[in-house]
Amino acid sequence: IVIGDVAGKGMPAALLMALLQGSLHTLVTAGLRGTELVSKLNAYLCKSIPASSLVTLFYGELDTSTGWLRYVNAGHNPPFLLRKNQAMQRLMPTSLVLGVTETTTYEAEETELGVGEKLLLFTDGISEAFNVDQQEYGESRLETFLRTHSTLPQADLIQQLTTDVLGFCGDARPTDDMTLMSIMRPG
């Protein structure tokens, strides 16, 4: 499970994301996983991107039979783990963003997804969406939405959240990409 975001907009950001995707694919194909993969990716990015660039990344490995999730959160927006009992857990950053310094140490954390539980990953284009009054959608509004709608099927959850964010923005045009991903452990 991977979601990331690059600093900046336009063609430079798109090229950086393409570099990130290609590098990640190469490292996974070479058999690297977990903190070793993220460390190698960071080292490569530090050598390849301008000093003013940085990348947030959430990288996770999910065992679908047991629900065990091992993850590295390199400065990315903490995903929401929607528990069956309506409780919510955030998967907080475990390390710094990528591309700042080659000596950064990346650490992994572990958690478990129970049967029917969902993991919602998102980029800051969701939480940092603004309306015409320059009010931010914000993570507290996102959390409130998820508490109210956590039992929806995944596709409906994504669709209704997108509709809610765009409705909040009204006539204000979003200035950043809005990426959402929902993972659910079946059972």
Side-chain angles (χ1 to χ4, degrees), residues 82-88 146-148 150-151:
L82 309 174
R83 301 284 186 192
K84 282 188 113 177
N85 62 3
Q86 301 295 324
M88 226 179 270
L146 293 173
R147 285 193 189 284
T148 307
S150 65
T151 58

Side-chain angles (χ1 to χ4, degrees), residues 5-11 13-14 123-137 165-166 168-179:
D5 202 4
V6 300
K9 309 234 183 299
M11 188 57 70
T123 58
D124 63 5
I126 298 293
S127 56
E128 296 176 4
F130 287 90
N131 65 17
V132 293
D133 296 323
Q134 291 302 302
Q135 296 170 320
E136 186 179 70
Y137 187 80
V165 173
L166 294 175
F168 172 82
C169 292
D171 291 333
R173 184 171 178 247
T175 58
D176 199 358
D177 64 285
M178 294 186 205
T179 303

Side-chain angles (χ1 to χ4, degrees), residues 52 59 138 187:
S52 61
Y59 170 87

Side-chain angles (χ1 to χ4, degrees), residues 10 15 30 61 70 80 84 96 104 151 155 167:
L15 291 172
E61 298 168 2
R70 182 172 173 83
F80 287 89
K84 282 188 113 177
L96 290 176
T104 300
T151 58

Side-chain angles (χ1 to χ4, degrees), residues 2-39:
V2 179
I3 189 168
D5 202 4
V6 300
K9 309 234 183 299
M11 188 57 70
L15 291 172
L16 179 52
M17 183 53 78
L19 174 70
L20 174 69
Q21 290 173 335
S23 302
L24 183 63
H25 182 266
T26 299
L27 293 170
V28 168
T29 301
L32 295 173
R33 299 290 185 270
T35 55
E36 183 182 15
L37 179 144
V38 177
S39 293

Side-chain angles (χ1 to χ4, degrees), residues 80-83 86-88 90 118 120-122 126-127 137-168 180-182:
F80 287 89
L81 181 50
L82 309 174
R83 301 284 186 192
Q86 301 295 324
M88 226 179 270
R90 302 291 303 271
K118 297 178 191 118
L120 183 86
L121 302 103
F122 63 100
I126 298 293
S127 56
Y137 187 80
E139 290 200 10
S140 63
R141 186 174 273 115
L142 174 57
E143 184 174 338
T144 299
F145 177 91
L146 293 173
R147 285 193 189 284
T148 307
H149 298 86
S150 65
T151 58
L152 287 173
Q154 287 178 276
D156 293 341
L157 179 68
I158 296 292
Q159 181 60 49
Q160 288 189 31
L161 177 54
T162 303
T163 299
D164 192 61
V165 173
L166 294 175
F168 172 82
L180 292 164
M181 181 185 342
S182 178

Side-chain angles (χ1 to χ4, degrees), residues 1 34-36 38 57-61 70-76 92-96 98 106-109:
I1 303 166
T35 55
E36 183 182 15
V38 177
L57 183 82
F58 180 93
Y59 170 87
E61 298 168 2
R70 182 172 173 83
Y71 65 92
V72 175
N73 185 343
H76 195 74
M92 303 307 287
T94 60
S95 311
L96 290 176
L98 303 174
Y106 291 92
E107 297 182 19
E109 294 285 334

